[in-house]
Amino acid sequence: MSSRRSRSRQSSGVSRISDDQIADLVSKLQQLIPEIRSRRSDKVSSSKVLQETCNYIRSLHREVDDLSDRLSELLESTDSDSAQAAIIRSLLM
Amino acid sequence: MNKLKTRVLSFPLFLSLSLSLSLNIHSLSTSPPTSPPLLSILSFFYPLTLELIMAESPSSSLSNIPDVTSNLSRKKRRKIGPHNPLQLSSVSGQSRWRTESEQQIYSSKLVDVLRNLRRPESASATGRVVRDAADRVLAVSSRGKTRWSRAILTGRLSLRLAQINKKHKKALKPGLSNSRVKKPAGQRKLPPVQKKVKVLSRLVPGCRKLSLPNLLEETTDYIAALEMQVKAMTFLTGLLNGGVSAAGGNDHNISSS
């Protein structure tokens, strides 16, 4: 079947991927997202999975932003103390 | 003196030769269908990208150089794993991000980069700088195998070059208005699902024109990497928190992760 091989060069146009493949990948994605995983339902539609994926990625981005803000504040306060940096490195390595 | 000069000159030549050779050999063995040649070259220059990250911070003291070379030698000793993450190895790809060692490697690299980071003038922009550095280190940790990591790294470079042409770039974006147009009847997927796919492709860096299976593969890897990033940064914040309160002599409970 020529439609089975999905060439990414044609990705901007019509994509000839079977629906089974899509459903399979979406179910794999479903396993990653904690909200859907905890619901234990097989009837989650693919649009719901995609929506939850987008929300999850956005929330992860927000968490990284918050953490980087906090880290920047902490780094400024510990900037003068090089002994702490040495401690951190010894703990991490 | 002459001997020293020739040695200094020949080293970059040797490096570039070896890298180009490895590029040729690798492209013969496995041909990645999706990555354009420029970006695939970037994946082989990933040891040098760490230098790029260090070079972006203008603290060019000599103490950086032993760090960079030790990182380089560390990376060269590591074997390059199987190259096709877009096919069957999605499970191993995710579990790679979840290993403890990967998190520790990321944390140590992040600490290195953050220590040498340039301080912007405005206090509010520091968070952004840290976030960019964290993303860059995350992208480097991916070893150039995933599209989103390459997009992050090239995006930073092109952003610096194109800062003057920002208005020009904005004028060249007609695609946003076209995305609302309804697809022709030949499409198999329903429009609402397709809309969500578009939104998702915008969230994952570098995946706007990707086919759906590749996009989903990239998404799974990206989510695993983001989770690892959150864990590592939480860990670092906890460490620094504990350090700061200890140095300040407070009696708060030191919360270590």
Side-chain angles (χ1 to χ4, degrees):
Chain A
M1 278 175 68
S2 61
S3 60
R4 190 94 21 160
R5 248 174 80 200
S6 62
R7 293 182 201 161
S8 56
R9 280 172 210 164
Q10 299 175 355
S11 63
S12 50
V14 177
S15 49
R16 299 172 180 275
I17 314 163
S18 63
D19 282 338
D20 289 337
Q21 247 185 320
I22 295 177
D24 182 45
L25 288 168
V26 166
S27 68
K28 256 195 257 172
L29 198 57
Q30 198 175 321
Q31 297 308 312
L32 278 185
I33 304 173
E35 290 185 355
I36 304 183
R37 221 185 332 175
S38 57
R39 264 184 235 170
R40 287 274 170 209
S41 154
D42 284 336
K43 288 186 249 173
V44 187
S45 67
S46 48
S47 93
K48 180 81 175 164
V49 171
L50 288 172
Q51 181 69 44
E52 289 298 327
T53 311
C54 297
N55 293 341
Y56 188 51
I57 291 182
R58 273 195 221 118
S59 71
L60 283 175
H61 279 170
R62 252 181 287 142
E63 264 198 75
V64 172
D65 275 333
D66 285 340
L67 281 171
S68 56
D69 281 338
R70 261 202 278 166
L71 259 182
S72 64
E73 286 172 27
L74 287 172
L75 278 175
E76 278 168 24
S77 59
T78 64
D79 213 2
S80 50
D81 200 344
S82 63
Q84 270 182 4
I87 292 173
I88 291 171
R89 302 188 82 195
S90 62
L91 280 173
L92 288 172
M93 304 212 194
Chain B
M1 273 295 279
N2 284 333
K3 274 188 184 174
L4 186 66
K5 273 188 186 172
T6 51
R7 254 193 214 160
V8 167
L9 283 175
S10 63
F11 177 68
L13 274 177
F14 168 72
L15 195 62
S16 59
L17 271 176
S18 63
L19 281 171
S20 61
L21 270 176
S22 62
L23 175 67
N24 286 334
I25 292 171
H26 197 91
S27 62
L28 282 175
S29 57
T30 58
S31 52
T34 57
S35 59
L38 182 62
L39 292 179
S40 64
I41 287 173
L42 196 64
S43 71
F44 291 100
F45 277 84
Y46 73 81
L48 298 181
T49 56
L50 196 61
E51 270 198 49
L52 281 175
I53 290 178
M54 302 298 251
E56 286 195 6
S57 55
S59 65
S60 53
S61 59
L62 283 174
S63 61
N64 287 348
I65 296 176
D67 283 345
V68 170
T69 49
S70 69
N71 281 339
L72 282 177
S73 55
R74 232 191 294 158
K75 276 193 160 158
K76 275 182 185 166
R77 265 184 243 138
R78 258 186 244 147
K79 279 189 193 167
I80 299 177
H83 181 73
N84 289 328
L86 297 177
Q87 286 169 11
L88 298 170
S89 61
S90 61
V91 176
S92 61
Q94 288 167 30
S95 56
R96 179 165 69 87
W97 285 113
R98 300 228 158 101
T99 58
E100 188 67 32
S101 58
E102 195 68 45
Q103 187 179 329
Q104 284 172 356
I105 292 165
Y106 176 73
S107 311
S108 55
K109 280 189 208 160
L110 187 56
V111 165
D112 277 341
V113 171
L114 286 177
R115 276 196 312 137
N116 301 326
L117 212 51
R118 169 176 43 147
R119 294 270 174 267
E121 287 88 32
S122 63
S124 59
T126 322
R128 180 77 217 175
V129 170
V130 172
R131 165 86 201 269
D132 287 347
D135 283 343
R136 265 183 279 140
V137 179
L138 188 69
V140 167
S141 310
S142 176
R143 298 182 197 122
K145 283 179 207 154
T146 54
R147 183 169 278 264
W148 60 263
S149 60
R150 296 194 288 258
I152 288 181
L153 291 174
T154 53
R156 304 284 177 233
L157 290 175
S158 62
L159 202 66
R160 285 179 181 278
L161 292 172
Q163 258 173 356
I164 302 170
N165 299 334
K166 223 176 185 179
K167 289 177 193 169
H168 189 57
K169 258 190 175 182
K170 275 186 185 169
L172 284 176
K173 276 188 180 177
L176 285 174
S177 56
N178 283 340
S179 63
R180 301 263 173 90
V181 175
K182 229 180 176 181
K183 296 277 175 183
Q187 280 293 80
R188 291 188 189 186
K189 294 181 284 297
L190 296 173
V193 177
Q194 191 63 23
K195 260 191 253 174
K196 301 211 162 65
V197 170
K198 283 257 176 203
V199 171
L200 183 62
S201 68
R202 261 189 270 144
L203 278 177
V204 184
C207 294
R208 290 185 198 210
K209 288 188 184 172
L210 220 49
S211 66
L212 187 56
N214 292 336
L215 174 62
L216 294 180
E217 291 283 349
E218 290 285 328
T219 308
T220 52
D221 195 63
Y222 188 54
I223 289 181
L226 277 181
E227 285 174 354
M228 193 273 287
Q229 186 181 25
V230 166
K231 262 195 256 173
M233 287 176 73
T234 319
F235 174 67
L236 273 180
T237 316
L239 269 185
L240 284 177
N241 255 328
V244 166
S245 59
N250 293 330
D251 275 334
H252 295 295
N253 287 332
I254 297 175
S255 59
S256 61
S257 57

PDB file of all heavy atoms in Angstrom, chain B residues 26-53:
ATOM      1  N   HIS B  26      28.036   8.636   8.661  1.00  0.00           N
ATOM      2  CA  HIS B  26      26.732   8.474   9.296  1.00  0.00           C
ATOM      3  C   HIS B  26      25.605   8.643   8.294  1.00  0.00           C
ATOM      4  O   HIS B  26      24.601   7.960   8.337  1.00  0.00           O
ATOM      5  CB  HIS B  26      26.601   9.474  10.444  1.00  0.00           C
ATOM      6  CG  HIS B  26      25.508   9.127  11.376  1.00  0.00           C
ATOM      7  ND1 HIS B  26      25.709   8.346  12.492  1.00  0.00           N
ATOM      8  CD2 HIS B  26      24.194   9.402  11.355  1.00  0.00           C
ATOM      9  CE1 HIS B  26      24.578   8.189  13.112  1.00  0.00           C
ATOM     10  NE2 HIS B  26      23.622   8.818  12.456  1.00  0.00           N
ATOM     11  N   SER B  27      25.780   9.573   7.368  1.00  0.00           N
ATOM     12  CA  SER B  27      24.693   9.784   6.416  1.00  0.00           C
ATOM     13  C   SER B  27      24.568   8.608   5.475  1.00  0.00           C
ATOM     14  O   SER B  27      23.519   8.357   4.900  1.00  0.00           O
ATOM     15  CB  SER B  27      24.918  11.076   5.635  1.00  0.00           C
ATOM     16  OG  SER B  27      26.123  10.966   4.903  1.00  0.00           O
ATOM     17  N   LEU B  28      25.671   7.860   5.295  1.00  0.00           N
ATOM     18  CA  LEU B  28      25.583   6.665   4.464  1.00  0.00           C
ATOM     19  C   LEU B  28      24.818   5.570   5.192  1.00  0.00           C
ATOM     20  O   LEU B  28      24.025   4.857   4.602  1.00  0.00           O
ATOM     21  CB  LEU B  28      26.994   6.161   4.120  1.00  0.00           C
ATOM     22  CG  LEU B  28      27.707   6.930   3.003  1.00  0.00           C
ATOM     23  CD1 LEU B  28      29.117   6.417   2.856  1.00  0.00           C
ATOM     24  CD2 LEU B  28      26.944   6.766   1.701  1.00  0.00           C
ATOM     25  N   SER B  29      25.081   5.458   6.478  1.00  0.00           N
ATOM     26  CA  SER B  29      24.466   4.340   7.203  1.00  0.00           C
ATOM     27  C   SER B  29      22.988   4.585   7.447  1.00  0.00           C
ATOM     28  O   SER B  29      22.159   3.759   7.118  1.00  0.00           O
ATOM     29  CB  SER B  29      25.188   4.118   8.526  1.00  0.00           C
ATOM     30  OG  SER B  29      25.154   5.308   9.287  1.00  0.00           O
ATOM     31  N   THR B  30      22.673   5.694   8.051  1.00  0.00           N
ATOM     32  CA  THR B  30      21.253   5.953   8.306  1.00  0.00           C
ATOM     33  C   THR B  30      20.895   7.284   7.679  1.00  0.00           C
ATOM     34  O   THR B  30      21.534   8.278   7.934  1.00  0.00           O
ATOM     35  CB  THR B  30      20.976   6.045   9.802  1.00  0.00           C
ATOM     36  OG1 THR B  30      21.796   7.087  10.354  1.00  0.00           O
ATOM     37  CG2 THR B  30      21.271   4.746  10.479  1.00  0.00           C
ATOM     38  N   SER B  31      19.894   7.293   6.885  1.00  0.00           N
ATOM     39  CA  SER B  31      19.528   8.558   6.243  1.00  0.00           C
ATOM     40  C   SER B  31      18.277   9.096   6.919  1.00  0.00           C
ATOM     41  O   SER B  31      17.184   8.578   6.730  1.00  0.00           O
ATOM     42  CB  SER B  31      19.286   8.327   4.765  1.00  0.00           C
ATOM     43  OG  SER B  31      18.369   7.271   4.607  1.00  0.00           O
ATOM     44  N   PRO B  32      18.419  10.101   7.728  1.00  0.00           N
ATOM     45  CA  PRO B  32      17.223  10.686   8.341  1.00  0.00           C
ATOM     46  C   PRO B  32      16.413  11.436   7.293  1.00  0.00           C
ATOM     47  O   PRO B  32      16.911  12.347   6.668  1.00  0.00           O
ATOM     48  CB  PRO B  32      17.788  11.647   9.390  1.00  0.00           C
ATOM     49  CG  PRO B  32      19.174  11.916   8.961  1.00  0.00           C
ATOM     50  CD  PRO B  32      19.644  10.767   8.146  1.00  0.00           C
ATOM     51  N   PRO B  33      15.206  11.024   7.066  1.00  0.00           N
ATOM     52  CA  PRO B  33      14.454  11.629   5.964  1.00  0.00           C
ATOM     53  C   PRO B  33      13.932  13.020   6.279  1.00  0.00           C
ATOM     54  O   PRO B  33      13.638  13.785   5.401  1.00  0.00           O
ATOM     55  CB  PRO B  33      13.297  10.658   5.745  1.00  0.00           C
ATOM     56  CG  PRO B  33      13.127   9.994   7.053  1.00  0.00           C
ATOM     57  CD  PRO B  33      14.459   9.953   7.698  1.00  0.00           C
ATOM     58  N   THR B  34      13.808  13.320   7.544  1.00  0.00           N
ATOM     59  CA  THR B  34      13.114  14.567   7.835  1.00  0.00           C
ATOM     60  C   THR B  34      14.050  15.745   8.055  1.00  0.00           C
ATOM     61  O   THR B  34      13.669  16.868   7.854  1.00  0.00           O
ATOM     62  CB  THR B  34      12.291  14.402   9.122  1.00  0.00           C
ATOM     63  OG1 THR B  34      13.175  14.015  10.177  1.00  0.00           O
ATOM     64  CG2 THR B  34      11.236  13.336   8.916  1.00  0.00           C
ATOM     65  N   SER B  35      15.264  15.498   8.481  1.00  0.00           N
ATOM     66  CA  SER B  35      16.082  16.644   8.863  1.00  0.00           C
ATOM     67  C   SER B  35      16.793  17.206   7.649  1.00  0.00           C
ATOM     68  O   SER B  35      17.460  16.479   6.912  1.00  0.00           O
ATOM     69  CB  SER B  35      17.094  16.231   9.913  1.00  0.00           C
ATOM     70  OG  SER B  35      17.914  15.215   9.411  1.00  0.00           O
ATOM     71  N   PRO B  36      16.671  18.478   7.410  1.00  0.00           N
ATOM     72  CA  PRO B  36      17.426  19.100   6.328  1.00  0.00           C
ATOM     73  C   PRO B  36      18.901  19.055   6.646  1.00  0.00           C
ATOM     74  O   PRO B  36      19.278  18.959   7.799  1.00  0.00           O
ATOM     75  CB  PRO B  36      16.889  20.533   6.296  1.00  0.00           C
ATOM     76  CG  PRO B  36      16.236  20.730   7.601  1.00  0.00           C
ATOM     77  CD  PRO B  36      15.749  19.410   8.057  1.00  0.00           C
ATOM     78  N   PRO B  37      19.729  19.120   5.651  1.00  0.00           N
ATOM     79  CA  PRO B  37      21.177  18.907   5.871  1.00  0.00           C
ATOM     80  C   PRO B  37      21.761  19.869   6.880  1.00  0.00           C
ATOM     81  O   PRO B  37      22.610  19.476   7.670  1.00  0.00           O
ATOM     82  CB  PRO B  37      21.805  19.127   4.504  1.00  0.00           C
ATOM     83  CG  PRO B  37      20.709  19.194   3.542  1.00  0.00           C
ATOM     84  CD  PRO B  37      19.416  19.294   4.246  1.00  0.00           C
ATOM     85  N   LEU B  38      21.306  21.103   6.856  1.00  0.00           N
ATOM     86  CA  LEU B  38      21.897  22.059   7.783  1.00  0.00           C
ATOM     87  C   LEU B  38      21.662  21.641   9.216  1.00  0.00           C
ATOM     88  O   LEU B  38      22.560  21.655  10.036  1.00  0.00           O
ATOM     89  CB  LEU B  38      21.287  23.446   7.532  1.00  0.00           C
ATOM     90  CG  LEU B  38      21.832  24.564   8.401  1.00  0.00           C
ATOM     91  CD1 LEU B  38      23.311  24.733   8.147  1.00  0.00           C
ATOM     92  CD2 LEU B  38      21.110  25.850   8.123  1.00  0.00           C
ATOM     93  N   LEU B  39      20.443  21.211   9.508  1.00  0.00           N
ATOM     94  CA  LEU B  39      20.135  20.848  10.877  1.00  0.00           C
ATOM     95  C   LEU B  39      20.809  19.538  11.269  1.00  0.00           C
ATOM     96  O   LEU B  39      21.130  19.330  12.415  1.00  0.00           O
ATOM     97  CB  LEU B  39      18.630  20.734  11.072  1.00  0.00           C
ATOM     98  CG  LEU B  39      17.899  22.076  10.976  1.00  0.00           C
ATOM     99  CD1 LEU B  39      16.404  21.852  11.148  1.00  0.00           C
ATOM    100  CD2 LEU B  39      18.368  23.025  12.044  1.00  0.00           C
ATOM    101  N   SER B  40      21.009  18.660  10.301  1.00  0.00           N
ATOM    102  CA  SER B  40      21.667  17.409  10.657  1.00  0.00           C
ATOM    103  C   SER B  40      23.136  17.664  10.938  1.00  0.00           C
ATOM    104  O   SER B  40      23.736  16.983  11.753  1.00  0.00           O
ATOM    105  CB  SER B  40      21.506  16.385   9.555  1.00  0.00           C
ATOM    106  OG  SER B  40      22.165  16.828   8.389  1.00  0.00           O
ATOM    107  N   ILE B  41      23.710  18.670  10.280  1.00  0.00           N
ATOM    108  CA  ILE B  41      25.086  19.023  10.592  1.00  0.00           C
ATOM    109  C   ILE B  41      25.140  19.513  12.025  1.00  0.00           C
ATOM    110  O   ILE B  41      26.070  19.220  12.761  1.00  0.00           O
ATOM    111  CB  ILE B  41      25.594  20.109   9.611  1.00  0.00           C
ATOM    112  CG1 ILE B  41      25.828  19.494   8.241  1.00  0.00           C
ATOM    113  CG2 ILE B  41      26.864  20.748  10.126  1.00  0.00           C
ATOM    114  CD1 ILE B  41      26.154  20.493   7.182  1.00  0.00           C
ATOM    115  N   LEU B  42      24.100  20.227  12.408  1.00  0.00           N
ATOM    116  CA  LEU B  42      24.074  20.758  13.777  1.00  0.00           C
ATOM    117  C   LEU B  42      24.122  19.636  14.789  1.00  0.00           C
ATOM    118  O   LEU B  42      24.723  19.753  15.836  1.00  0.00           O
ATOM    119  CB  LEU B  42      22.809  21.594  13.967  1.00  0.00           C
ATOM    120  CG  LEU B  42      22.828  22.507  15.180  1.00  0.00           C
ATOM    121  CD1 LEU B  42      23.895  23.544  15.033  1.00  0.00           C
ATOM    122  CD2 LEU B  42      21.482  23.159  15.344  1.00  0.00           C
ATOM    123  N   SER B  43      23.466  18.511  14.454  1.00  0.00           N
ATOM    124  CA  SER B  43      23.442  17.419  15.420  1.00  0.00           C
ATOM    125  C   SER B  43      24.821  16.848  15.634  1.00  0.00           C
ATOM    126  O   SER B  43      25.121  16.315  16.685  1.00  0.00           O
ATOM    127  CB  SER B  43      22.491  16.334  14.958  1.00  0.00           C
ATOM    128  OG  SER B  43      23.025  15.663  13.850  1.00  0.00           O
ATOM    129  N   PHE B  44      25.689  16.979  14.626  1.00  0.00           N
ATOM    130  CA  PHE B  44      27.026  16.451  14.826  1.00  0.00           C
ATOM    131  C   PHE B  44      27.937  17.476  15.460  1.00  0.00           C
ATOM    132  O   PHE B  44      29.000  17.147  15.921  1.00  0.00           O
ATOM    133  CB  PHE B  44      27.613  15.974  13.502  1.00  0.00           C
ATOM    134  CG  PHE B  44      26.905  14.756  13.023  1.00  0.00           C
ATOM    135  CD1 PHE B  44      25.930  14.859  12.061  1.00  0.00           C
ATOM    136  CD2 PHE B  44      27.184  13.533  13.583  1.00  0.00           C
ATOM    137  CE1 PHE B  44      25.254  13.742  11.641  1.00  0.00           C
ATOM    138  CE2 PHE B  44      26.506  12.414  13.158  1.00  0.00           C
ATOM    139  CZ  PHE B  44      25.545  12.517  12.187  1.00  0.00           C
ATOM    140  N   PHE B  45      27.477  18.695  15.453  1.00  0.00           N
ATOM    141  CA  PHE B  45      28.267  19.697  16.120  1.00  0.00           C
ATOM    142  C   PHE B  45      27.812  19.902  17.555  1.00  0.00           C
ATOM    143  O   PHE B  45      28.081  20.920  18.130  1.00  0.00           O
ATOM    144  CB  PHE B  45      28.171  21.022  15.357  1.00  0.00           C
ATOM    145  CG  PHE B  45      29.111  21.074  14.208  1.00  0.00           C
ATOM    146  CD1 PHE B  45      28.759  20.517  12.996  1.00  0.00           C
ATOM    147  CD2 PHE B  45      30.348  21.648  14.334  1.00  0.00           C
ATOM    148  CE1 PHE B  45      29.628  20.550  11.926  1.00  0.00           C
ATOM    149  CE2 PHE B  45      31.216  21.681  13.263  1.00  0.00           C
ATOM    150  CZ  PHE B  45      30.856  21.137  12.067  1.00  0.00           C
ATOM    151  N   TYR B  46      27.085  18.940  18.085  1.00  0.00           N
ATOM    152  CA  TYR B  46      26.574  19.157  19.440  1.00  0.00           C
ATOM    153  C   TYR B  46      27.657  19.316  20.490  1.00  0.00           C
ATOM    154  O   TYR B  46      27.455  20.003  21.440  1.00  0.00           O
ATOM    155  CB  TYR B  46      25.593  18.062  19.843  1.00  0.00           C
ATOM    156  CG  TYR B  46      26.217  16.718  20.146  1.00  0.00           C
ATOM    157  CD1 TYR B  46      26.789  16.461  21.380  1.00  0.00           C
ATOM    158  CD2 TYR B  46      26.201  15.688  19.210  1.00  0.00           C
ATOM    159  CE1 TYR B  46      27.348  15.238  21.652  1.00  0.00           C
ATOM    160  CE2 TYR B  46      26.758  14.470  19.491  1.00  0.00           C
ATOM    161  CZ  TYR B  46      27.330  14.243  20.712  1.00  0.00           C
ATOM    162  OH  TYR B  46      27.885  13.031  20.995  1.00  0.00           O
ATOM    163  N   PRO B  47      28.851  18.703  20.312  1.00  0.00           N
ATOM    164  CA  PRO B  47      29.884  19.040  21.312  1.00  0.00           C
ATOM    165  C   PRO B  47      30.244  20.504  21.239  1.00  0.00           C
ATOM    166  O   PRO B  47      30.530  21.123  22.239  1.00  0.00           O
ATOM    167  CB  PRO B  47      31.070  18.172  20.912  1.00  0.00           C
ATOM    168  CG  PRO B  47      30.511  17.105  20.084  1.00  0.00           C
ATOM    169  CD  PRO B  47      29.337  17.702  19.386  1.00  0.00           C
ATOM    170  N   LEU B  48      30.198  21.070  20.023  1.00  0.00           N
ATOM    171  CA  LEU B  48      30.551  22.467  19.898  1.00  0.00           C
ATOM    172  C   LEU B  48      29.434  23.375  20.351  1.00  0.00           C
ATOM    173  O   LEU B  48      29.674  24.514  20.678  1.00  0.00           O
ATOM    174  CB  LEU B  48      30.901  22.797  18.447  1.00  0.00           C
ATOM    175  CG  LEU B  48      32.114  22.036  17.911  1.00  0.00           C
ATOM    176  CD1 LEU B  48      32.395  22.449  16.501  1.00  0.00           C
ATOM    177  CD2 LEU B  48      33.323  22.304  18.780  1.00  0.00           C
ATOM    178  N   THR B  49      28.207  22.871  20.350  1.00  0.00           N
ATOM    179  CA  THR B  49      27.111  23.741  20.774  1.00  0.00           C
ATOM    180  C   THR B  49      27.259  24.104  22.233  1.00  0.00           C
ATOM    181  O   THR B  49      26.838  25.155  22.655  1.00  0.00           O
ATOM    182  CB  THR B  49      25.757  23.069  20.565  1.00  0.00           C
ATOM    183  OG1 THR B  49      25.754  21.833  21.250  1.00  0.00           O
ATOM    184  CG2 THR B  49      25.480  22.890  19.106  1.00  0.00           C
ATOM    185  N   LEU B  50      27.888  23.230  23.014  1.00  0.00           N
ATOM    186  CA  LEU B  50      28.115  23.586  24.408  1.00  0.00           C
ATOM    187  C   LEU B  50      29.039  24.787  24.475  1.00  0.00           C
ATOM    188  O   LEU B  50      28.867  25.676  25.295  1.00  0.00           O
ATOM    189  CB  LEU B  50      28.722  22.402  25.169  1.00  0.00           C
ATOM    190  CG  LEU B  50      28.643  22.549  26.686  1.00  0.00           C
ATOM    191  CD1 LEU B  50      27.211  22.633  27.121  1.00  0.00           C
ATOM    192  CD2 LEU B  50      29.313  21.386  27.363  1.00  0.00           C
ATOM    193  N   GLU B  51      30.025  24.817  23.549  1.00  0.00           N
ATOM    194  CA  GLU B  51      30.883  25.991  23.468  1.00  0.00           C
ATOM    195  C   GLU B  51      30.080  27.220  23.114  1.00  0.00           C
ATOM    196  O   GLU B  51      30.310  28.290  23.625  1.00  0.00           O
ATOM    197  CB  GLU B  51      31.946  25.771  22.390  1.00  0.00           C
ATOM    198  CG  GLU B  51      33.204  25.134  22.941  1.00  0.00           C
ATOM    199  CD  GLU B  51      34.360  25.335  21.994  1.00  0.00           C
ATOM    200  OE1 GLU B  51      34.556  26.480  21.577  1.00  0.00           O
ATOM    201  OE2 GLU B  51      35.023  24.354  21.688  1.00  0.00           O
ATOM    202  N   LEU B  52      29.121  27.037  22.201  1.00  0.00           N
ATOM    203  CA  LEU B  52      28.299  28.170  21.798  1.00  0.00           C
ATOM    204  C   LEU B  52      27.541  28.713  22.991  1.00  0.00           C
ATOM    205  O   LEU B  52      27.407  29.907  23.165  1.00  0.00           O
ATOM    206  CB  LEU B  52      27.315  27.752  20.722  1.00  0.00           C
ATOM    207  CG  LEU B  52      27.891  27.646  19.318  1.00  0.00           C
ATOM    208  CD1 LEU B  52      26.844  27.104  18.399  1.00  0.00           C
ATOM    209  CD2 LEU B  52      28.367  28.995  18.846  1.00  0.00           C
ATOM    210  N   ILE B  53      27.033  27.794  23.813  1.00  0.00           N
ATOM    211  CA  ILE B  53      26.273  28.231  24.975  1.00  0.00           C
ATOM    212  C   ILE B  53      27.184  29.021  25.911  1.00  0.00           C
ATOM    213  O   ILE B  53      26.820  30.062  26.419  1.00  0.00           O
ATOM    214  CB  ILE B  53      25.676  27.022  25.710  1.00  0.00           C
ATOM    215  CG1 ILE B  53      24.580  26.423  24.865  1.00  0.00           C
ATOM    216  CG2 ILE B  53      25.125  27.450  27.048  1.00  0.00           C
ATOM    217  CD1 ILE B  53      23.976  25.212  25.476  1.00  0.00           C
TER     218      ILE B  53
END
